[in-house]
Amino acid sequence: MTQVTDQRATARLGAVPSWSSPAPLRPSPDFGPTDRLRGWLVTAFLTAIAAVTRFTMLNYPTDAGTPVFDEKHYAPQAWQMLTGGWVEDNPGYGLVVHPPVGKQVIAIGEAMFGYNGWGWRFTAAVAGTVLVLLVIRIVRRMARSTLIGAIAGILLIADGVTFVSSRIGMLDIFMALFVTAAFGCLIVDRDEVRARIARADAEGRIGGTDWGPRLGVRWWRFGAGVLLGLACGTKWSGIYFIAAFGLLSVYFDLSARRAYRVRRPWLGVAVRDIGPALYALVLVPLGVYLAGYWAWFASETGVYRYMPGNPSAPTDPIGTGGFWSHVVPGALRSLWYFNARSLEFHTELTNSAGNHHPWESKPWTWPMGLRPMLYYYADSGVTGCGQTQCVKAVMLIGTPALWWIAVPALAWMLWRGLVRRDWRYGAVLVGYGAALLPWFATLDRQMYYFYAVPMAPFLVMGVALVLGDILGPARPSPIPRSPVGTYLSAAPSERRTLGLLAVCLYLGLVIANFIWLWPILTALPITPSNWHDHLWLPSWR
């Protein structure tokens, strides 16, 4: 009777909110927040703020009405696709060095607004806005908290890297969007798998075989495969995420089978899960990647479209005989040749070969943004700063209040992931590592800070989870049992109050830092002295 009274009092006083529980574990499965209306209202509000920041003055600046920086490659190629049968070339350099998907997406904006700043930047701004929405929803699901999801959204809105990338017609924001969306699909798939195994457990089917139950068709994982294919169709570095997310998905399956006491979980994963994972996260991305070349396959004039038997091939002409000519269609052999030439271009773009750029950087500088990238600078004929001499610039730079805490944040994430076995931190580290670590294998290659754009969403996710730990649990602390045998709802503890204060102060610092950087993120006219005041480190100059 006392236990029933305790439960009724707890439910009446709201001492244990169901939406704040930790990751789903047997025997009390919990598969996400239940405050759906509030969650979507918060998401919509923050996404609207992101849209305002990304779309305001989107067509500014330009280089006398033409693209700036590497927009000069992608905007014309996208326009050429739009006006020439969706096939592009690169006459200034003789070779198209990136797959077509990102440029096809840019072409959508140009079809809507024409060949101008709005046209070649519109879809980038859409991608940057949707990226904020995705990060909010992903963190909300992982943390089981709408508040922590909102914190992640605020951090991403105020991140200089994704902000600038959302306002320029380049490929990196699309890459970040596709891999983040794929990550989100795998997080939902994880919860769905656990829900299915929990149902099987409730029905007594866990012990039916040593391998555990079948998991059925997993459409969220299939969606992740499609998105990873789009990422590879934007930039080849998407293949790093295929490898990383494939291992992550299989690990999720293994941990679910172990959590629900499958007798032989490793064998269960080998028999039930690895094959479907290879299909969804390897074969599906490969098919999507090939589909991205649909216009090239259908064309008569695409670069290197008809190479078998072509004696004018610049290098390694493809013959018409031999084993492979009977096994692989000529179109795929031509695409292989095309991609091999593109890969050759990238591998030869090295410092040792004499290729240097004043703003190149190496991957060890990316976590803290120690070597940003100057996209645009003008000091001639600039007015509007209130002085006789003005300058304006766009610099790809991570908001220091966010990026400069990367090292301690990563240390905390590693401790939580490896020592405390917190799957959320482990998952975020997989995404972050896939965006960063592979680049250390080719240090001689010419690299730039915009390669780090896909790192930004995972950095924000990790920092938001760390802030959630600082904030503390939402569950009020119970006070000792009363004489009538009930628990009374306690007021928020001082620990949580201090945590809330610390988180709010930190968010305020990030927002203030972002506002301070605003002039050099958006090319507002400023004085030369003000420009130098914004360059805090020697490596920023």
Side-chain angles (χ1 to χ4, degrees), residues 215 231 311 400 414:
L215 299 176
L414 285 168

Side-chain angles (χ1 to χ4, degrees), residues 353-405:
N355 296 293
H356 297 279
H357 190 281
W359 286 97
E360 67 178 295
S361 62
K362 297 302 181 184
W364 59 77
T365 69
W366 299 347
M368 294 179 62
L370 298 180
R371 182 59 173 164
M373 189 85 197
L374 186 64
Y375 280 172
Y376 174 83
Y377 181 83
D379 58 1
S380 178
V382 180
T383 60
C385 69
Q387 301 290 333
T388 56
Q389 186 178 2
C390 304
V391 302
K392 56 183 180 180
V394 174
M395 177 174 278
L396 181 75
I397 185 168
T399 305
L402 175 61
W403 286 72
W404 285 4
I405 67 165

Side-chain angles (χ1 to χ4, degrees), residues 54 131-132 134-136 138-140 142 148-163 180 183 367 398-399 401-403 405-406 409-410 413 425 428 431-432 452-468 506-507 510:
R54 271 62 180 167
L131 186 62
V132 172
L134 289 174
V135 167
I136 295 170
I138 292 169
V139 174
R140 176 181 179 271
M142 288 196 299
I148 299 176
I151 289 172
I154 293 170
L155 291 175
L156 195 62
I157 290 171
D159 168 45
V161 168
T162 51
F163 173 77
T180 302
F183 180 79
T399 305
L402 175 61
W403 286 72
I405 67 165
L410 289 171
M413 292 163 64
Y425 287 101
V428 171
Y432 188 88
V453 174
M455 291 169 51
F458 297 100
L459 172 65
V460 165
M461 292 181 205
V463 171
L465 292 175
V466 172
L467 293 178
Y506 175 73
L507 291 177
V510 172

Side-chain angles (χ1 to χ4, degrees), residues 432-499:
Y432 188 88
L436 173 64
L437 296 180
W439 298 104
F440 283 90
T442 56
L443 290 177
D444 189 37
R445 189 182 183 280
Q446 199 174 68
M447 303 180 196
Y448 307 99
Y449 186 43
F450 54 76
Y451 292 2
V453 174
M455 291 169 51
F458 297 100
L459 172 65
V460 165
M461 292 181 205
V463 171
L465 292 175
V466 172
L467 293 178
D469 287 343
I470 294 173
L471 190 61
R475 191 191 310 268
S477 302
I479 61 176
R481 187 183 297 266
S482 70
V484 296
T486 62
Y487 281 98
L488 299 178
S489 178
S493 66
E494 184 177 3
R495 157 72 177 81
R496 180 165 175 83
T497 301
L498 290 175

